[in-house]
Amino acid sequence: MANLKDLRNRITSVSSTMQITSAMKMVSAAKLSKAQDAITAMRPYSEKLTQLLQDLSATLDDDASSKFSEEREVENVLVVAISSNRGLAGAFNTNIIKAVRNKAKADYPGKNVEIYTIGKKANDILSRNFSIYKNNNEIYDELTFDNVAEIAEELMQLFLDERYDKIKIVYNQFKNAATQIVTEEQFLPIEQFDTEETKQLDYIFEPSKIEIVKELIPKSLKMQLYKALRDSFASEHGARMTAMHKATENATELRDDLKLSYNKARQASITNEILEIVGGAEALNN
């Protein structure tokens, strides 16, 4: 009977776990729907703004180029690692941490690499091996463009002050609920795309081309960071929903196996009791 009691306890425990994972899956599915709508709606605007900035920047003379495009000898690098504050999302955070570690070792050996962590999970792990410039966990409490713009302005000022010669962003790009693509983007300096197509573009500028570019650059950089955070936010809930779905399936399968084992053990126990009763009755008759 002790074996039956252990099996009953395990069945109860697995059933409770299954209810928790199922509830977490439904919560993430609801949040994913809103996050997916947000990133899908803003992508065309962000991509068009980036393309327009690249087209205009490529047509500027060198002396009119922005300070945000200044290429310097790379000695100090800041990597913005975007993760989540919570776990139970499969390999979502692990992939970001691996990508940041590999980038620091492979791309910038011997350079001073510091990390700006957005999200608690990346900060907890990366702080063991890297110098953390800053950690921001509160941004997910209210993920708005204005709040993200403050972070972007801080990063832009760090580049202008020449504290860092290059700033990179590493995040999970949302593809669908089951697929997140680890993406690396250069934030600063702005990459130049000087092609024949951009040189042949004919725009009418009002006011001047330089003033328009200077106005677009900060806005484009803020939008780039906001899109990365929105992508990561949607990816997190997609990864968590998928992970909780698999966990629920595994818990269901384990519960069914335990119930089968319990029923077999219970049947064997009943059979043994019947045999003992029959054996006792025969002994009395003899």
Side-chain angles (χ1 to χ4, degrees), residues 131-157:
S131 173
I132 303 296
Y133 165 74
K134 191 174 183 179
N135 177 47
N136 189 324
N137 299 334
E138 297 78 20
I139 189 66
Y140 291 117
D141 296 338
E142 193 173 356
L143 187 56
T144 63
F145 178 79
D146 290 338
N147 290 338
V148 175
E150 294 180 5
I151 300 176
E153 288 173 356
E154 180 182 7
L155 296 175
M156 286 186 276
Q157 193 59 49

Side-chain angles (χ1 to χ4, degrees), residues 67-280:
K67 292 182 179 179
F68 293 113
S69 304
E70 179 185 354
E71 294 283 350
R72 301 193 291 259
E73 183 179 353
V74 178
E75 292 294 336
N76 300 298
V77 181
L78 181 66
V79 179
V80 181
I82 302 177
S83 65
S84 67
N85 288 335
R86 298 167 55 210
L88 299 177
F92 174 82
N93 292 305
T94 304
N95 289 338
I96 292 297
I97 293 168
K98 285 182 179 178
V100 171
R101 282 175 171 169
N102 293 337
K103 168 157 286 299
K105 293 179 180 179
D107 294 358
Y108 307 109
K111 307 297 183 182
N112 177 38
V113 180
E114 294 188 355
I115 314 295
Y116 189 130
T117 55
I118 298 179
K120 183 176 183 295
K121 291 300 178 179
N123 182 69
D124 290 346
I125 304 299
L126 293 174
S127 59
R128 301 173 186 175
N129 306 106
F130 294 95
S131 173
I132 303 296
Y133 165 74
K134 191 174 183 179
N135 177 47
N136 189 324
N137 299 334
E138 297 78 20
I139 189 66
Y140 291 117
D141 296 338
E142 193 173 356
L143 187 56
T144 63
F145 178 79
D146 290 338
N147 290 338
V148 175
E150 294 180 5
I151 300 176
E153 288 173 356
E154 180 182 7
L155 296 175
M156 286 186 276
Q157 193 59 49
L158 289 171
F159 182 79
L160 292 178
D161 293 341
E162 299 188 7
R163 174 161 180 175
Y164 299 104
D165 305 307
K166 184 169 288 189
I167 299 177
K168 293 276 190 175
I169 304 175
V170 180
Y171 67 98
N172 278 297
Q173 186 182 74
F174 178 80
K175 183 176 182 180
N176 54 52
T179 306
Q180 300 81 39
I181 304 170
V182 177
T183 304
E184 172 212 327
E185 291 180 356
Q186 182 158 311
F187 188 71
L188 287 168
I190 297 173
E191 294 182 291
Q192 299 293 325
F193 295 87
D194 192 4
T195 65
E196 290 300 322
E197 290 184 8
T198 57
K199 288 181 178 180
Q200 294 173 4
L201 292 173
D202 186 16
Y203 291 106
I204 298 175
F205 299 97
E206 181 62 36
S208 69
K209 183 192 301 184
I210 297 176
E211 290 182 26
I212 291 175
V213 171
K214 287 182 178 179
E215 181 70 23
L216 280 178
I217 285 176
K219 182 178 292 187
S220 176
L221 290 171
K222 292 173 185 177
M223 183 56 65
Q224 180 185 0
L225 183 60
Y226 184 53
K227 184 182 78 68
L229 276 161
R230 274 292 174 189
D231 256 316
S232 180
F233 189 65
S235 296
E236 175 192 348
H237 292 300
R240 182 170 292 112
M241 186 187 77
T242 302
M244 292 301 100
H245 175 71
K246 291 180 179 178
T248 302
E249 286 186 339
N250 292 337
T252 302
E253 183 178 347
L254 178 58
R255 183 197 61 180
D256 292 343
D257 290 342
L258 288 171
K259 282 185 175 181
L260 181 61
S261 298
Y262 175 80
N263 289 334
K264 287 181 178 179
R266 184 169 177 270
Q267 186 63 46
S269 176
I270 293 173
T271 301
N272 288 334
E273 290 181 1
I274 292 175
L275 290 174
E276 289 175 359
I277 293 172
V278 171

